[in-house]
Amino acid sequence: MKALRFDGEKLIFENSFAKPVTPAGEALIRVLMAGICNTDIEITKGYMGFTGIPGHEFVGIVEEINAEDQSLLGKRVVGDINCACGNPDCEYCAQNLGRHCTNRTTLGIANRNGAFAEYLTLPVENLLVVPESVSNQTATLCEPLAAGFEILEQVNFSANDEVLIVGDGKLGLLINHAVSTTAAKITHVGKHPDKLELAKANGSQVVLLDQMPQKQYDIVIEATGSASGFNFSLLHTKPRGILVLKSTIASSQNIDMTSVVVNEITVVGSRCGLFQPAIDYLATGVDLSSIISDVFPFDKALEAFEAAKTKGAMKVMLSF
Amino acid sequence: MKALRFDGEKLIFENSFAKPVTPAGEALIRVLMAGICNTDIEITKGYMGFTGIPGHEFVGIVEEINAEDQSLLGKRVVGDINCACGNPDCEYCAQNLGRHCTNRTTLGIANRNGAFAEYLTLPVENLLVVPESVSNQTATLCEPLAAGFEILEQVNFSANDEVLIVGDGKLGLLINHAVSTTAAKITHVGKHPDKLELAKANGSQVVLLDQMPQKQYDIVIEATGSASGFNFSLLHTKPRGILVLKSTIASSQNIDMTSVVVNEITVVGSRCGLFQPAIDYLATGVDLSSIISDVFPFDKALEAFEAAKTKGAMKVMLSF
């Protein structure tokens, strides 16, 4: 099969990579569409020390199931990227927190080949059927949207809460969609008037970074991925407020933790989420097309990666 | 009156500093005993840009009250160091969170002279009477002990929780006392076998830093005040666990926030606490004398400061 492989130094487009053999309990999925995430770009810089096929945002068709229950055969699915050990003695699996299982593999990120290939395999229990009304492009946004909904699992939003979302990239805008399902009042700050329009259309107040007032918020969500974004977010978090740290900052950063202590701020690290709330939201017919900047045929995957690296790029997708 | 003053560069022992005039709503307190905190030492290095009389841990006698209610006159008291604006429109004062009031002054730390003097003033509502059974030395520990009890206001401890306290200095050991009032299982890690004995006597498991196993805990409390302490604590916090950041790290630190995100750790900044739980605990007759390393007469305050700066020093007190 065709696959995009990272050898530890560079991405290589392979024309005849071995098609995966479906392990027991898993399904073979023919990929229809895959999205390029900033994490994939970080992986090509050495993040997680990953080698193999990256890619963890996808939608595909189940072509084979190595398990008794064949009910998902032929179905269009998305899939949770964390593959837990499932051992009843595992304290995370026992709490339905397989995405923190210490023995997990993660699609295209840790010890498991990912979605930048014609085929991938995932455990059957990781798969969710995509409603027919949801397009392939929209379904591919399910994984990063689930990461947005994860915040709602970790933090309580009430009607009186004033929320600031920092960063108007694709992650920030998907978070905006997730938080907009709560009653909280959202302000979205970013650098790009055109991107902020999407947040505005979604009912948020918007403000350009260089026009940001000194105001502080009950809940601030950092989605810029930069150290300056963290310090900016801290400055705009009320004493006893919550700062949600959403983007992985790959290297050590100079962060002033003094104000975290003095102002008793709670910093909540937030990563992958459950897919179901994201699918339910997508099934309402919301239009996320403006978050997608480009779709490349898979043969042009290397070109697509370059496009995804462009400053200010939105979601770049690969079509199979 | 005699007072120890910081002029922005050095500490000066004054023999005839003007005795404070008691403002409306406040009480004049004759200091009996005061404790030297690491924050005081940080102040002499420029922390908070404070100049004036430092000192915020004290016990004293109320000698004058500039208010109608004179009931505290002659009483032995300790006092909450944060003096809130009390304005009903202040969102922090309205929530009984005067210690986060943005217009507050703080005894010996921000815009208010402190306890390293024969007299200080504080608002009457900040004062709490010390039970007769509690000695002056023990009562002086009320403020840092309240900071330990603050953690119990912010974080829920249950019987199944495994807690790691990092740092066996005076703050760490006072935190041990506060957390030992919960049902959680405490492990205390530090560098000093003699200090860890105090935690052991308090019912905790203890472990020397260089013998620390790779184990991770539900709740980790960082009380070392060093950047390496933060990273060590992070390493020993379970995914989805809580890291309580208790000590003010004065300068920016190289902190790797990646694992906060990947492991969805919640970092809780924690500072001053309410005094009542601390007084109630002291009134049970607990012996904290081993946390006090030395008591100097106030005339030798400069010498006492040097003793407090000594590596490994426990609480140094000033007797008036």
Side-chain angles (χ1 to χ4, degrees):
Chain A
M1 65 175 185
K2 292 175 183 171
L4 190 67
R5 184 170 68 87
F6 180 63
D7 69 355
E9 289 187 359
K10 59 188 179 311
L11 287 167
I12 301 156
F13 192 89
E14 306 266 11
N15 275 301
S16 54
F17 197 92
K19 188 173 163 181
V21 176
T22 314
E26 299 206 4
L28 180 75
I29 295 153
R30 178 166 55 82
V31 179
L32 296 171
M33 182 84 64
I36 300 175
C37 171
N38 283 350
T39 301
D40 301 318
I41 296 169
E42 290 298 321
I43 279 173
T44 66
K45 297 173 186 166
Y47 178 63
M48 297 294 288
F50 178 82
T51 56
I53 301 170
H56 57 274
E57 302 174 359
F58 77 94
V59 61
I61 301 281
V62 177
E63 289 212 341
E64 189 185 297
I65 295 177
N66 187 354
E68 203 171 320
D69 183 352
Q70 299 282 313
S71 57
L72 288 180
L73 204 60
K75 295 282 197 296
R76 193 170 61 123
V77 296
V78 290
D80 191 320
I81 69 174
N82 294 290
C83 306
C85 70
N87 189 321
D89 292 340
C90 168
E91 68 172 306
Y92 298 102
C93 290
Q95 293 175 67
N96 198 22
L97 278 174
R99 55 198 191 279
H100 287 292
C101 165
T102 46
N103 298 314
R104 73 184 181 276
T105 61
T106 306
L107 188 71
I109 296 176
N111 300 317
R112 177 178 282 268
N113 278 333
F116 298 154
E118 289 180 291
Y119 291 90
L120 62 84
T121 73
L122 268 181
V124 175
E125 71 255 26
N126 283 39
L127 305 179
L128 294 98
V129 175
V130 179
E132 272 187 38
S133 63
V134 177
S135 72
N136 284 342
Q137 292 187 18
T138 304
T140 303
L141 291 173
C142 192
E143 196 277 336
L145 182 61
F149 274 98
E150 175 72 349
I151 302 171
L152 275 57
E153 274 217 11
Q154 298 176 282
V155 175
N156 257 333
F157 291 80
S158 72
N160 291 325
D161 283 334
E162 293 200 280
V163 177
L164 180 70
I165 301 174
V166 183
D168 55 10
K170 46 198 182 293
L171 179 61
L173 292 170
L174 288 170
I175 289 169
N176 187 298
H177 276 276
V179 180
S180 73
T181 65
T182 74
K185 286 182 283 290
I186 305 174
T187 301
H188 205 128
V189 58
K191 287 180 179 172
H192 310 92
D194 53 330
K195 294 181 182 175
L196 287 176
E197 278 304 312
L198 308 179
K200 200 172 177 179
N202 212 22
S204 299
Q205 278 206 298
V206 299
V207 55
L208 280 165
L209 185 62
D210 55 15
Q211 289 163 24
M212 184 70 194
Q214 276 202 317
K215 191 172 155 68
Q216 292 184 314
Y217 295 78
D218 300 293
I219 301 168
V220 178
I221 302 169
E222 202 290 314
T224 72
S226 69
S228 64
F230 183 89
N231 289 329
F232 175 90
S233 298
L234 206 48
L235 207 64
H236 289 282
T237 309
K238 276 187 190 172
R240 282 275 181 127
I242 294 172
L243 195 173
V244 180
L245 196 51
K246 197 62 214 179
S247 50
T248 314
I249 308 174
S251 59
S252 288
Q253 301 290 346
N254 262 329
I255 286 170
D256 189 353
M257 297 299 274
T258 307
S259 81
V260 172
V261 177
V262 171
N263 295 318
E264 295 194 320
I265 288 167
T266 295
V267 180
V268 177
S270 177
R271 191 177 46 114
C272 301
L274 296 171
F275 275 47
Q276 197 59 58
I279 290 185
D280 293 346
Y281 182 70
L282 295 177
T284 64
V286 61
D287 178 13
L288 295 175
S289 58
S290 50
I291 288 172
I292 302 164
S293 62
D294 229 331
V295 180
F296 287 76
F298 185 55
D299 285 345
K300 294 193 171 172
L302 289 168
E303 210 173 298
F305 245 81
E306 291 311 309
K309 283 185 202 169
T310 312
K311 208 172 158 66
M314 297 290 272
K315 182 62 71 186
V316 174
M317 291 193 175
L318 300 166
S319 174
F320 290 76
Chain B
M1 65 175 184
K2 293 175 182 172
L4 191 67
R5 184 170 68 86
F6 180 63
D7 69 355
E9 290 187 359
K10 58 188 180 309
L11 286 167
I12 302 157
F13 192 87
E14 305 268 9
N15 275 302
S16 54
F17 197 90
K19 188 173 163 181
V21 176
T22 314
E26 300 206 3
L28 180 75
I29 295 152
R30 178 166 55 83
V31 178
L32 295 171
M33 184 82 65
I36 300 175
C37 172
N38 283 350
T39 301
D40 300 317
I41 295 168
E42 289 298 321
I43 279 174
T44 66
K45 296 173 187 166
Y47 178 63
M48 298 292 290
F50 178 81
T51 57
I53 301 170
H56 56 274
E57 302 174 358
F58 76 95
V59 61
I61 301 283
V62 178
E63 290 213 340
E64 189 184 296
I65 296 177
N66 186 354
E68 203 171 321
D69 183 351
Q70 298 283 314
S71 57
L72 289 179
L73 204 61
K75 294 283 196 297
R76 193 169 61 124
V77 296
V78 289
D80 190 321
I81 69 174
N82 294 289
C83 306
C85 71
N87 189 319
D89 292 340
C90 168
E91 68 172 306
Y92 297 100
C93 290
Q95 292 175 68
N96 198 24
L97 279 173
R99 55 198 191 278
H100 287 293
C101 166
T102 47
N103 297 314
R104 72 183 181 276
T105 62
T106 306
L107 188 73
I109 295 176
N111 299 316
R112 177 178 282 268
N113 278 333
F116 297 154
E118 289 179 289
Y119 291 91
L120 63 84
T121 73
L122 268 182
V124 174
E125 70 255 26
N126 283 42
L127 305 179
L128 295 97
V129 174
V130 179
E132 270 185 39
S133 63
V134 178
S135 72
N136 283 343
Q137 292 185 18
T138 304
T140 303
L141 292 172
C142 192
E143 196 278 336
L145 182 61
F149 274 99
E150 175 72 349
I151 302 171
L152 275 57
E153 274 217 11
Q154 297 177 283
V155 175
N156 257 333
F157 291 80
S158 72
N160 290 324
D161 284 331
E162 293 200 281
V163 177
L164 180 70
I165 301 174
V166 184
D168 55 10
K170 46 198 182 293
L171 180 62
L173 292 171
L174 288 170
I175 289 169
N176 186 299
H177 276 276
V179 180
S180 73
T181 65
T182 73
K185 286 183 282 290
I186 305 174
T187 302
H188 205 128
V189 58
K191 289 181 178 172
H192 310 92
D194 53 332
K195 294 181 183 176
L196 287 176
E197 279 304 312
L198 307 180
K200 199 171 177 179
N202 212 22
S204 298
Q205 279 207 297
V206 299
V207 55
L208 280 166
L209 185 62
D210 55 15
Q211 288 163 23
M212 183 70 195
Q214 277 201 315
K215 190 172 157 68
Q216 292 184 313
Y217 294 78
D218 301 293
I219 300 169
V220 178
I221 302 169
E222 200 290 315
T224 71
S226 69
S228 64
F230 182 89
N231 289 330
F232 175 90
S233 298
L234 206 48
L235 207 64
H236 290 282
T237 309
K238 276 187 188 171
R240 281 276 181 126
I242 294 173
L243 195 174
V244 180
L245 195 52
K246 196 63 213 179
S247 50
T248 313
I249 309 173
S251 60
S252 289
Q253 302 289 347
N254 262 330
I255 288 170
D256 188 353
M257 297 298 275
T258 306
S259 81
V260 172
V261 177
V262 171
N263 295 319
E264 295 194 321
I265 288 167
T266 294
V267 180
V268 177
S270 179
R271 192 177 45 115
C272 300
L274 296 172
F275 274 47
Q276 196 61 57
I279 290 184
D280 293 346
Y281 182 70
L282 295 177
T284 64
V286 60
D287 178 14
L288 296 176
S289 58
S290 49
I291 288 172
I292 302 164
S293 61
D294 229 331
V295 181
F296 286 76
F298 185 54
D299 284 345
K300 295 192 172 175
L302 290 169
E303 211 174 295
F305 246 81
E306 291 311 309
K309 283 185 204 168
T310 312
K311 211 173 156 65
M314 296 290 271
K315 182 63 71 185
V316 174
M317 290 193 178
L318 300 166
S319 174
F320 289 77

